[in-house]
Amino acid sequence: MGTRNKLIYLLAALGGLLVIRNLYVILLQFPDEAAQGAIYRIMFFHVPCWFICFTAFLAAGVASILYLWKRRMVFDNVAVSAVEIGVVFTATGLVTGSIWARVIWGIWWTWDPRLTWAFITLLVYLGYLMLRRAIDDPTERAKNSAVLCIFAFVSVVITYKAIDWWRTQHPGAVLSFRTGGGNIEPAWEMMLLWNFLALGLIAAAVLLIRLNQEQVRREVDGLRRRVHEL
Amino acid sequence: MDERNFTFMFYGLAAAWAILAAYVVYLGAREGKIRRQLENLRRMLEERDKT
């Protein structure tokens, strides 16, 4: 087994164990919230999903800049892998948020700025993945998608700042690093960070799997070109 | 645990894991497809090299 595969198993195992430990604390040790009952526990997955998707899109943006600068395909591989994982976690964040909203707000969805921009971000990055499928030449594909990926990050920044710029339905920031503290129970905030770590480890394992696939796919593309040349 | 809103909490957690699991299954299926394509192309090239 190669070093990368060992790392994948290690990250997945650590992430899995940490998730089990976190679920035990969240479900069996934390009391229900006075106003929300049991449903508030969705927060421990909803918020870390957003942390991970923002991190993934940031990584994709940095990798895209590095691709345009260095013109090395490995950065394109990182960008597409990170975007795909970001899209999965964005979808997870939207779905968990929608279920939470159904109980707390009485509606599945509203065109609140935070929700709307999160949805736009999802669509923009889905567009990025579709653009890649539409361009056959690997260099053109990497160049065009890197440019789109850099511009797409503007949508991530707007999504992140939406709760500060427009105070509407979605709650404002509660985490200490944004508010200075006092807006959330410290044990809950710590659990959000633990679950961010747990899901982050799983996301990192999946990213490595996806990177492996991208490398094999490039090999397939190369062989295909050789077959056509013969 | 209070039964209040428990069902929706369960739906939320189940949905989160279902999306992640579906993606991992999709990755597995794609891995198999890419590996098969790689093997087929290698075989085609070997056969052409022989002839």
mmCIF file of all heavy atoms in Angstrom, chain A residues 81-124:
data_model
loop_
_atom_site.group_PDB
_atom_site.id
_atom_site.type_symbol
_atom_site.label_atom_id
_atom_site.label_comp_id
_atom_site.label_asym_id
_atom_site.label_seq_id
_atom_site.Cartn_x
_atom_site.Cartn_y
_atom_site.Cartn_z
ATOM 1 N N SER A 81 -10.625 18.954 -7.377
ATOM 2 C CA SER A 81 -10.965 18.055 -6.267
ATOM 3 C C SER A 81 -11.565 18.846 -5.109
ATOM 4 O O SER A 81 -12.570 18.435 -4.520
ATOM 5 C CB SER A 81 -9.712 17.311 -5.786
ATOM 6 O OG SER A 81 -9.114 16.633 -6.859
ATOM 7 N N ALA A 82 -10.947 19.988 -4.796
ATOM 8 C CA ALA A 82 -11.445 20.809 -3.680
ATOM 9 C C ALA A 82 -12.824 21.381 -4.003
ATOM 10 O O ALA A 82 -13.697 21.409 -3.130
ATOM 11 C CB ALA A 82 -10.458 21.930 -3.388
ATOM 12 N N VAL A 83 -13.034 21.802 -5.250
ATOM 13 C CA VAL A 83 -14.353 22.347 -5.619
ATOM 14 C C VAL A 83 -15.429 21.279 -5.460
ATOM 15 O O VAL A 83 -16.505 21.530 -4.916
ATOM 16 C CB VAL A 83 -14.343 22.906 -7.065
ATOM 17 C CG1 VAL A 83 -15.770 23.124 -7.576
ATOM 18 C CG2 VAL A 83 -13.583 24.214 -7.124
ATOM 19 N N GLU A 84 -15.122 20.069 -5.919
ATOM 20 C CA GLU A 84 -16.131 19.003 -5.833
ATOM 21 C C GLU A 84 -16.516 18.739 -4.374
ATOM 22 O O GLU A 84 -17.702 18.599 -4.062
ATOM 23 C CB GLU A 84 -15.578 17.734 -6.485
ATOM 24 C CG GLU A 84 -16.674 16.910 -7.119
ATOM 25 C CD GLU A 84 -16.109 15.754 -7.898
ATOM 26 O OE1 GLU A 84 -15.743 15.958 -9.056
ATOM 27 O OE2 GLU A 84 -16.041 14.634 -7.341
ATOM 28 N N ILE A 85 -15.517 18.711 -3.506
ATOM 29 C CA ILE A 85 -15.808 18.492 -2.079
ATOM 30 C C ILE A 85 -16.550 19.693 -1.499
ATOM 31 O O ILE A 85 -17.498 19.538 -0.720
ATOM 32 C CB ILE A 85 -14.494 18.187 -1.332
ATOM 33 C CG1 ILE A 85 -14.084 16.760 -1.688
ATOM 34 C CG2 ILE A 85 -14.641 18.331 0.172
ATOM 35 C CD1 ILE A 85 -12.658 16.460 -1.539
ATOM 36 N N GLY A 86 -16.159 20.889 -1.919
ATOM 37 C CA GLY A 86 -16.871 22.087 -1.477
ATOM 38 C C GLY A 86 -18.338 22.053 -1.873
ATOM 39 O O GLY A 86 -19.213 22.401 -1.084
ATOM 40 N N VAL A 87 -18.620 21.589 -3.084
ATOM 41 C CA VAL A 87 -20.009 21.505 -3.567
ATOM 42 C C VAL A 87 -20.810 20.517 -2.710
ATOM 43 O O VAL A 87 -21.949 20.798 -2.317
ATOM 44 C CB VAL A 87 -20.028 21.091 -5.059
ATOM 45 C CG1 VAL A 87 -21.399 20.592 -5.478
ATOM 46 C CG2 VAL A 87 -19.626 22.269 -5.935
ATOM 47 N N VAL A 88 -20.208 19.380 -2.393
ATOM 48 C CA VAL A 88 -20.900 18.373 -1.573
ATOM 49 C C VAL A 88 -21.226 18.960 -0.192
ATOM 50 O O VAL A 88 -22.358 18.824 0.307
ATOM 51 C CB VAL A 88 -20.036 17.094 -1.431
ATOM 52 C CG1 VAL A 88 -20.627 16.144 -0.395
ATOM 53 C CG2 VAL A 88 -19.915 16.394 -2.772
ATOM 54 N N PHE A 89 -20.271 19.648 0.407
ATOM 55 C CA PHE A 89 -20.517 20.205 1.741
ATOM 56 C C PHE A 89 -21.457 21.417 1.682
ATOM 57 O O PHE A 89 -22.202 21.657 2.630
ATOM 58 C CB PHE A 89 -19.194 20.538 2.431
ATOM 59 C CG PHE A 89 -18.585 19.323 3.094
ATOM 60 C CD1 PHE A 89 -17.677 18.528 2.415
ATOM 61 C CD2 PHE A 89 -18.954 18.958 4.380
ATOM 62 C CE1 PHE A 89 -17.135 17.396 3.001
ATOM 63 C CE2 PHE A 89 -18.419 17.828 4.978
ATOM 64 C CZ PHE A 89 -17.507 17.043 4.293
ATOM 65 N N THR A 90 -21.446 22.150 0.589
ATOM 66 C CA THR A 90 -22.415 23.252 0.437
ATOM 67 C C THR A 90 -23.830 22.685 0.379
ATOM 68 O O THR A 90 -24.738 23.185 1.050
ATOM 69 C CB THR A 90 -22.132 24.058 -0.852
ATOM 70 O OG1 THR A 90 -20.780 24.505 -0.823
ATOM 71 C CG2 THR A 90 -23.036 25.258 -0.974
ATOM 72 N N ALA A 91 -23.987 21.621 -0.406
ATOM 73 C CA ALA A 91 -25.315 20.981 -0.510
ATOM 74 C C ALA A 91 -25.740 20.460 0.860
ATOM 75 O O ALA A 91 -26.902 20.628 1.266
ATOM 76 C CB ALA A 91 -25.262 19.844 -1.528
ATOM 77 N N THR A 92 -24.799 19.868 1.601
ATOM 78 C CA THR A 92 -25.118 19.351 2.934
ATOM 79 C C THR A 92 -25.518 20.498 3.864
ATOM 80 O O THR A 92 -26.489 20.393 4.628
ATOM 81 C CB THR A 92 -23.908 18.589 3.518
ATOM 82 O OG1 THR A 92 -23.445 17.668 2.539
ATOM 83 C CG2 THR A 92 -24.276 17.835 4.776
ATOM 84 N N GLY A 93 -24.778 21.604 3.788
ATOM 85 C CA GLY A 93 -25.107 22.769 4.612
ATOM 86 C C GLY A 93 -26.489 23.322 4.291
ATOM 87 O O GLY A 93 -27.256 23.661 5.194
ATOM 88 N N LEU A 94 -26.824 23.381 3.013
ATOM 89 C CA LEU A 94 -28.138 23.902 2.611
ATOM 90 C C LEU A 94 -29.267 22.981 3.070
ATOM 91 O O LEU A 94 -30.296 23.447 3.565
ATOM 92 C CB LEU A 94 -28.197 24.085 1.091
ATOM 93 C CG LEU A 94 -27.471 25.305 0.522
ATOM 94 C CD1 LEU A 94 -27.457 25.268 -1.003
ATOM 95 C CD2 LEU A 94 -28.130 26.607 0.991
ATOM 96 N N VAL A 95 -29.059 21.673 2.916
ATOM 97 C CA VAL A 95 -30.129 20.724 3.289
ATOM 98 C C VAL A 95 -30.327 20.709 4.807
ATOM 99 O O VAL A 95 -31.466 20.779 5.292
ATOM 100 C CB VAL A 95 -29.800 19.304 2.752
ATOM 101 C CG1 VAL A 95 -30.748 18.270 3.338
ATOM 102 C CG2 VAL A 95 -29.880 19.284 1.232
ATOM 103 N N THR A 96 -29.243 20.645 5.571
ATOM 104 C CA THR A 96 -29.388 20.632 7.037
ATOM 105 C C THR A 96 -29.996 21.958 7.517
ATOM 106 O O THR A 96 -30.846 21.966 8.415
ATOM 107 C CB THR A 96 -28.034 20.386 7.734
ATOM 108 O OG1 THR A 96 -27.069 21.298 7.209
ATOM 109 C CG2 THR A 96 -27.535 18.978 7.555
ATOM 110 N N GLY A 97 -29.582 23.057 6.882
ATOM 111 C CA GLY A 97 -30.142 24.362 7.250
ATOM 112 C C GLY A 97 -31.628 24.436 6.954
ATOM 113 O O GLY A 97 -32.405 24.984 7.734
ATOM 114 N N SER A 98 -32.011 23.844 5.822
ATOM 115 C CA SER A 98 -33.414 23.869 5.431
ATOM 116 C C SER A 98 -34.280 23.082 6.427
ATOM 117 O O SER A 98 -35.378 23.528 6.789
ATOM 118 C CB SER A 98 -33.523 23.280 4.022
ATOM 119 O OG SER A 98 -34.843 23.240 3.610
ATOM 120 N N ILE A 99 -33.771 21.936 6.871
ATOM 121 C CA ILE A 99 -34.527 21.118 7.834
ATOM 122 C C ILE A 99 -34.618 21.844 9.182
ATOM 123 O O ILE A 99 -35.672 21.858 9.833
ATOM 124 C CB ILE A 99 -33.875 19.724 7.974
ATOM 125 C CG1 ILE A 99 -34.032 18.951 6.662
ATOM 126 C CG2 ILE A 99 -34.464 18.955 9.142
ATOM 127 C CD1 ILE A 99 -33.230 17.680 6.567
ATOM 128 N N TRP A 100 -33.542 22.482 9.572
ATOM 129 C CA TRP A 100 -33.534 23.270 10.816
ATOM 130 C C TRP A 100 -34.545 24.423 10.692
ATOM 131 O O TRP A 100 -35.323 24.684 11.613
ATOM 132 C CB TRP A 100 -32.119 23.794 11.048
ATOM 133 C CG TRP A 100 -31.840 24.318 12.414
ATOM 134 C CD1 TRP A 100 -32.688 24.339 13.485
ATOM 135 C CD2 TRP A 100 -30.610 24.901 12.865
ATOM 136 N NE1 TRP A 100 -32.065 24.893 14.570
ATOM 137 C CE2 TRP A 100 -30.786 25.249 14.220
ATOM 138 C CE3 TRP A 100 -29.381 25.161 12.268
ATOM 139 C CZ2 TRP A 100 -29.775 25.846 14.985
ATOM 140 C CZ3 TRP A 100 -28.378 25.748 13.023
ATOM 141 C CH2 TRP A 100 -28.572 26.089 14.364
ATOM 142 N N ALA A 101 -34.521 25.103 9.526
ATOM 143 C CA ALA A 101 -35.421 26.240 9.303
ATOM 144 C C ALA A 101 -36.888 25.819 9.362
ATOM 145 O O ALA A 101 -37.739 26.555 9.862
ATOM 146 C CB ALA A 101 -35.121 26.877 7.950
ATOM 147 N N ARG A 102 -37.177 24.615 8.872
ATOM 148 C CA ARG A 102 -38.564 24.121 8.867
ATOM 149 C C ARG A 102 -39.141 24.104 10.280
ATOM 150 O O ARG A 102 -40.316 24.408 10.487
ATOM 151 C CB ARG A 102 -38.596 22.718 8.236
ATOM 152 C CG ARG A 102 -39.937 22.030 8.275
ATOM 153 C CD ARG A 102 -40.964 22.769 7.426
ATOM 154 N NE ARG A 102 -42.296 22.196 7.560
ATOM 155 C CZ ARG A 102 -43.132 22.451 8.561
ATOM 156 N NH1 ARG A 102 -42.781 23.277 9.535
ATOM 157 N NH2 ARG A 102 -44.329 21.903 8.602
ATOM 158 N N VAL A 103 -38.296 23.772 11.258
ATOM 159 C CA VAL A 103 -38.760 23.706 12.639
ATOM 160 C C VAL A 103 -38.757 25.091 13.284
ATOM 161 O O VAL A 103 -39.724 25.489 13.933
ATOM 162 C CB VAL A 103 -37.858 22.736 13.451
ATOM 163 C CG1 VAL A 103 -38.243 22.746 14.923
ATOM 164 C CG2 VAL A 103 -37.946 21.337 12.878
ATOM 165 N N ILE A 104 -37.672 25.835 13.088
ATOM 166 C CA ILE A 104 -37.504 27.094 13.813
ATOM 167 C C ILE A 104 -38.265 28.252 13.162
ATOM 168 O O ILE A 104 -38.866 29.083 13.845
ATOM 169 C CB ILE A 104 -35.993 27.445 13.915
ATOM 170 C CG1 ILE A 104 -35.270 26.329 14.670
ATOM 171 C CG2 ILE A 104 -35.768 28.772 14.610
ATOM 172 C CD1 ILE A 104 -35.865 26.014 16.033
ATOM 173 N N TRP A 105 -38.222 28.315 11.831
ATOM 174 C CA TRP A 105 -38.899 29.428 11.126
ATOM 175 C C TRP A 105 -40.260 29.008 10.567
ATOM 176 O O TRP A 105 -41.035 29.850 10.116
ATOM 177 C CB TRP A 105 -38.045 29.929 9.945
ATOM 178 C CG TRP A 105 -36.680 30.430 10.312
ATOM 179 C CD1 TRP A 105 -36.264 30.848 11.548
ATOM 180 C CD2 TRP A 105 -35.544 30.565 9.441
ATOM 181 N NE1 TRP A 105 -34.943 31.226 11.502
ATOM 182 C CE2 TRP A 105 -34.472 31.069 10.220
ATOM 183 C CE3 TRP A 105 -35.319 30.318 8.096
ATOM 184 C CZ2 TRP A 105 -33.208 31.326 9.690
ATOM 185 C CZ3 TRP A 105 -34.065 30.575 7.557
ATOM 186 C CH2 TRP A 105 -33.018 31.075 8.352
ATOM 187 N N GLY A 106 -40.510 27.704 10.529
ATOM 188 C CA GLY A 106 -41.775 27.218 9.979
ATOM 189 C C GLY A 106 -41.788 27.146 8.460
ATOM 190 O O GLY A 106 -42.830 26.954 7.838
ATOM 191 N N ILE A 107 -40.628 27.331 7.836
ATOM 192 C CA ILE A 107 -40.534 27.278 6.370
ATOM 193 C C ILE A 107 -39.271 26.515 5.984
ATOM 194 O O ILE A 107 -38.279 26.515 6.716
ATOM 195 C CB ILE A 107 -40.460 28.697 5.733
ATOM 196 C CG1 ILE A 107 -39.485 29.584 6.533
ATOM 197 C CG2 ILE A 107 -41.820 29.324 5.618
ATOM 198 C CD1 ILE A 107 -39.198 30.920 5.908
ATOM 199 N N TRP A 108 -39.314 25.872 4.819
ATOM 200 C CA TRP A 108 -38.133 25.138 4.343
ATOM 201 C C TRP A 108 -37.083 26.081 3.787
ATOM 202 O O TRP A 108 -35.894 25.808 3.839
ATOM 203 C CB TRP A 108 -38.531 24.141 3.251
ATOM 204 C CG TRP A 108 -39.379 23.014 3.724
ATOM 205 C CD1 TRP A 108 -40.735 22.907 3.563
ATOM 206 C CD2 TRP A 108 -38.972 21.839 4.427
ATOM 207 N NE1 TRP A 108 -41.186 21.737 4.124
ATOM 208 C CE2 TRP A 108 -40.120 21.060 4.657
ATOM 209 C CE3 TRP A 108 -37.738 21.357 4.893
ATOM 210 C CZ2 TRP A 108 -40.093 19.837 5.315
ATOM 211 C CZ3 TRP A 108 -37.694 20.136 5.550
ATOM 212 C CH2 TRP A 108 -38.865 19.390 5.758
ATOM 213 N N TRP A 109 -37.556 27.188 3.192
ATOM 214 C CA TRP A 109 -36.630 28.070 2.461
ATOM 215 C C TRP A 109 -37.181 29.477 2.434
ATOM 216 O O TRP A 109 -38.391 29.684 2.416
ATOM 217 C CB TRP A 109 -36.464 27.578 1.008
ATOM 218 C CG TRP A 109 -35.488 28.389 0.220
ATOM 219 C CD1 TRP A 109 -35.790 29.441 -0.620
ATOM 220 C CD2 TRP A 109 -34.072 28.274 0.223
ATOM 221 N NE1 TRP A 109 -34.636 29.964 -1.140
ATOM 222 C CE2 TRP A 109 -33.560 29.274 -0.647
ATOM 223 C CE3 TRP A 109 -33.163 27.421 0.869
ATOM 224 C CZ2 TRP A 109 -32.196 29.444 -0.876
ATOM 225 C CZ3 TRP A 109 -31.810 27.577 0.629
ATOM 226 C CH2 TRP A 109 -31.337 28.580 -0.232
ATOM 227 N N THR A 110 -36.276 30.461 2.449
ATOM 228 C CA THR A 110 -36.673 31.850 2.213
ATOM 229 C C THR A 110 -35.537 32.521 1.454
ATOM 230 O O THR A 110 -34.381 32.097 1.568
ATOM 231 C CB THR A 110 -36.958 32.588 3.546
ATOM 232 O OG1 THR A 110 -37.303 33.937 3.262
ATOM 233 C CG2 THR A 110 -35.757 32.574 4.475
ATOM 234 N N TRP A 111 -35.891 33.569 0.686
ATOM 235 C CA TRP A 111 -34.848 34.226 -0.119
ATOM 236 C C TRP A 111 -34.118 35.280 0.707
ATOM 237 O O TRP A 111 -33.972 36.426 0.306
ATOM 238 C CB TRP A 111 -35.442 34.791 -1.416
ATOM 239 C CG TRP A 111 -35.936 33.692 -2.291
ATOM 240 C CD1 TRP A 111 -37.227 33.325 -2.477
ATOM 241 C CD2 TRP A 111 -35.142 32.761 -3.041
ATOM 242 N NE1 TRP A 111 -37.299 32.217 -3.298
ATOM 243 C CE2 TRP A 111 -36.023 31.861 -3.660
ATOM 244 C CE3 TRP A 111 -33.765 32.586 -3.244
ATOM 245 C CZ2 TRP A 111 -35.587 30.811 -4.473
ATOM 246 C CZ3 TRP A 111 -33.334 31.550 -4.051
ATOM 247 C CH2 TRP A 111 -34.237 30.683 -4.652
ATOM 248 N N ASP A 112 -33.674 34.847 1.869
ATOM 249 C CA ASP A 112 -32.825 35.651 2.746
ATOM 250 C C ASP A 112 -31.450 35.809 2.082
ATOM 251 O O ASP A 112 -30.990 34.875 1.400
ATOM 252 C CB ASP A 112 -32.728 34.889 4.075
ATOM 253 C CG ASP A 112 -31.576 35.318 4.937
ATOM 254 O OD1 ASP A 112 -30.474 34.754 4.784
ATOM 255 O OD2 ASP A 112 -31.780 36.202 5.763
ATOM 256 N N PRO A 113 -30.749 36.948 2.251
ATOM 257 C CA PRO A 113 -29.462 37.123 1.542
ATOM 258 C C PRO A 113 -28.458 35.998 1.797
ATOM 259 O O PRO A 113 -27.788 35.542 0.866
ATOM 260 C CB PRO A 113 -28.945 38.452 2.093
ATOM 261 C CG PRO A 113 -30.161 39.194 2.485
ATOM 262 C CD PRO A 113 -31.134 38.164 2.974
ATOM 263 N N ARG A 114 -28.352 35.522 3.042
ATOM 264 C CA ARG A 114 -27.368 34.474 3.325
ATOM 265 C C ARG A 114 -27.702 33.193 2.561
ATOM 266 O O ARG A 114 -26.847 32.574 1.930
ATOM 267 C CB ARG A 114 -27.332 34.198 4.835
ATOM 268 C CG ARG A 114 -26.409 33.055 5.262
ATOM 269 C CD ARG A 114 -24.960 33.328 4.874
ATOM 270 N NE ARG A 114 -24.028 32.409 5.498
ATOM 271 C CZ ARG A 114 -23.278 32.668 6.565
ATOM 272 N NH1 ARG A 114 -23.374 33.813 7.171
ATOM 273 N NH2 ARG A 114 -22.443 31.784 7.044
ATOM 274 N N LEU A 115 -28.985 32.814 2.621
ATOM 275 C CA LEU A 115 -29.412 31.580 1.954
ATOM 276 C C LEU A 115 -29.282 31.725 0.435
ATOM 277 O O LEU A 115 -28.819 30.808 -0.253
ATOM 278 C CB LEU A 115 -30.858 31.248 2.318
ATOM 279 C CG LEU A 115 -31.098 30.479 3.618
ATOM 280 C CD1 LEU A 115 -30.715 31.301 4.828
ATOM 281 C CD2 LEU A 115 -32.537 30.050 3.727
ATOM 282 N N THR A 116 -29.709 32.900 -0.055
ATOM 283 C CA THR A 116 -29.673 33.128 -1.502
ATOM 284 C C THR A 116 -28.233 33.074 -2.019
ATOM 285 O O THR A 116 -27.956 32.409 -3.033
ATOM 286 C CB THR A 116 -30.305 34.499 -1.840
ATOM 287 O OG1 THR A 116 -31.598 34.542 -1.258
ATOM 288 C CG2 THR A 116 -30.409 34.702 -3.333
ATOM 289 N N TRP A 117 -27.313 33.744 -1.306
ATOM 290 C CA TRP A 117 -25.918 33.746 -1.768
ATOM 291 C C TRP A 117 -25.288 32.355 -1.646
ATOM 292 O O TRP A 117 -24.453 31.974 -2.481
ATOM 293 C CB TRP A 117 -25.097 34.801 -1.028
ATOM 294 C CG TRP A 117 -25.220 36.124 -1.720
ATOM 295 C CD1 TRP A 117 -25.965 37.196 -1.301
ATOM 296 C CD2 TRP A 117 -24.645 36.493 -2.983
ATOM 297 N NE1 TRP A 117 -25.873 38.207 -2.237
ATOM 298 C CE2 TRP A 117 -25.075 37.817 -3.266
ATOM 299 C CE3 TRP A 117 -23.819 35.847 -3.908
ATOM 300 C CZ2 TRP A 117 -24.695 38.494 -4.424
ATOM 301 C CZ3 TRP A 117 -23.437 36.523 -5.069
ATOM 302 C CH2 TRP A 117 -23.875 37.827 -5.305
ATOM 303 N N ALA A 118 -25.697 31.616 -0.607
ATOM 304 C CA ALA A 118 -25.180 30.244 -0.476
ATOM 305 C C ALA A 118 -25.626 29.411 -1.680
ATOM 306 O O ALA A 118 -24.854 28.626 -2.244
ATOM 307 C CB ALA A 118 -25.675 29.623 0.822
ATOM 308 N N PHE A 119 -26.895 29.617 -2.078
ATOM 309 C CA PHE A 119 -27.434 28.895 -3.235
ATOM 310 C C PHE A 119 -26.718 29.317 -4.520
ATOM 311 O O PHE A 119 -26.367 28.481 -5.364
ATOM 312 C CB PHE A 119 -28.950 29.147 -3.323
ATOM 313 C CG PHE A 119 -29.640 28.346 -4.374
ATOM 314 C CD1 PHE A 119 -29.574 26.957 -4.363
ATOM 315 C CD2 PHE A 119 -30.369 28.960 -5.379
ATOM 316 C CE1 PHE A 119 -30.213 26.207 -5.342
ATOM 317 C CE2 PHE A 119 -31.013 28.213 -6.350
ATOM 318 C CZ PHE A 119 -30.924 26.833 -6.332
ATOM 319 N N ILE A 120 -26.476 30.636 -4.645
ATOM 320 C CA ILE A 120 -25.754 31.140 -5.831
ATOM 321 C C ILE A 120 -24.346 30.532 -5.866
ATOM 322 O O ILE A 120 -23.864 30.113 -6.922
ATOM 323 C CB ILE A 120 -25.694 32.692 -5.816
ATOM 324 C CG1 ILE A 120 -27.085 33.281 -6.076
ATOM 325 C CG2 ILE A 120 -24.693 33.223 -6.845
ATOM 326 C CD1 ILE A 120 -27.194 34.772 -5.838
ATOM 327 N N THR A 121 -23.704 30.473 -4.705
ATOM 328 C CA THR A 121 -22.357 29.879 -4.632
ATOM 329 C C THR A 121 -22.378 28.434 -5.122
ATOM 330 O O THR A 121 -21.510 28.009 -5.896
ATOM 331 C CB THR A 121 -21.829 29.946 -3.178
ATOM 332 O OG1 THR A 121 -21.791 31.312 -2.787
ATOM 333 C CG2 THR A 121 -20.443 29.346 -3.054
ATOM 334 N N LEU A 122 -23.398 27.694 -4.682
ATOM 335 C CA LEU A 122 -23.522 26.300 -5.127
ATOM 336 C C LEU A 122 -23.660 26.242 -6.652
ATOM 337 O O LEU A 122 -22.984 25.448 -7.317
ATOM 338 C CB LEU A 122 -24.739 25.650 -4.452
ATOM 339 C CG LEU A 122 -25.044 24.209 -4.849
ATOM 340 C CD1 LEU A 122 -23.947 23.264 -4.360
ATOM 341 C CD2 LEU A 122 -26.383 23.759 -4.298
ATOM 342 N N LEU A 123 -24.519 27.122 -7.201
ATOM 343 C CA LEU A 123 -24.731 27.120 -8.651
ATOM 344 C C LEU A 123 -23.460 27.509 -9.411
ATOM 345 O O LEU A 123 -23.133 26.907 -10.438
ATOM 346 C CB LEU A 123 -25.872 28.082 -9.025
ATOM 347 C CG LEU A 123 -27.264 27.694 -8.544
ATOM 348 C CD1 LEU A 123 -28.281 28.727 -9.005
ATOM 349 C CD2 LEU A 123 -27.670 26.311 -9.045
ATOM 350 N N VAL A 124 -22.735 28.499 -8.881
ATOM 351 C CA VAL A 124 -21.512 28.960 -9.557
ATOM 352 C C VAL A 124 -20.486 27.821 -9.621
ATOM 353 O O VAL A 124 -19.878 27.570 -10.672
ATOM 354 C CB VAL A 124 -20.918 30.188 -8.820
ATOM 355 C CG1 VAL A 124 -19.502 30.481 -9.294
ATOM 356 C CG2 VAL A 124 -21.792 31.419 -9.031
#
